[in-house]
């Protein structure tokens, strides 16, 4: 399957924007695009209060494809929880 270069660039741009947003708020970026066979966490950060943040970045060029929150299903939330636990276990 051919890669959509525009979508890939949009995703990378979105992740960079979120990372800068977090850093501006004094969060420390610990990992970007952390992967295991079961999936990927886009950004793992540590807040100034000592809270770990596990972030899924959804970038859209317009809302014609729906709001980014609409693309996060209950299944995706559960998968992100499992990935966060896997990261924490291996950390």
């Amino acid at each position: 399957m051919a890669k959509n270069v525009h979508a890939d660039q949009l995703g990378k741009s979105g992740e960079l924007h979120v990372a800068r947003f977090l850093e501006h708020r004094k969060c420390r970026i610990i990992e970007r695009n952390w992967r295991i066979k079961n999936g990927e966490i886009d950004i793992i950060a540590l807040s100034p209060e000592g809270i770990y943040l596990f972030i899924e970045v959804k970038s859209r060029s317009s809302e014609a494809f729906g709001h980014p929150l609409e693309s996060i299903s209950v299944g995706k939330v559960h998968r992100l929880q499992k990935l966060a636990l896997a990261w924490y276990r291996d950390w």
Side-chain angles (χ1 to χ4, degrees):
M1 185 159 96
K3 275 190 149 185
N4 183 334
V5 176
H6 175 70
D8 192 44
Q9 290 173 341
L10 181 63
K12 288 180 192 294
S13 174
E15 289 179 14
L16 181 59
H17 181 75
V18 172
R20 287 181 179 162
F21 174 87
L22 293 167
E23 289 171 336
H24 181 71
R25 280 152 183 77
K26 309 294 185 221
C27 293
R28 182 169 60 98
I29 305 299
I30 296 175
E31 302 262 5
R32 289 188 60 182
N33 302 309
W34 180 81
R35 291 175 197 248
I36 58 174
K37 68 178 180 176
N38 298 331
E40 174 187 37
I41 299 175
D42 294 329
I43 298 174
I44 301 170
L46 183 62
S47 76
E49 298 80 23
I51 298 169
Y52 285 96
L53 309 170
F54 298 90
I55 301 162
E56 172 76 14
V57 178
K58 292 293 182 187
S59 302
R60 298 282 190 262
S61 57
S62 76
E63 287 197 19
F65 297 103
H67 191 277
L69 288 176
E70 294 174 321
S71 69
I72 302 175
S73 67
V74 172
K76 283 187 182 183
V77 171
H78 287 145
R79 186 166 30 97
L80 184 59
Q81 289 173 334
K82 288 178 184 178
L83 288 168
L85 290 171
W87 177 85
Y88 191 71
R89 181 190 65 234
D90 294 342
W91 186 69

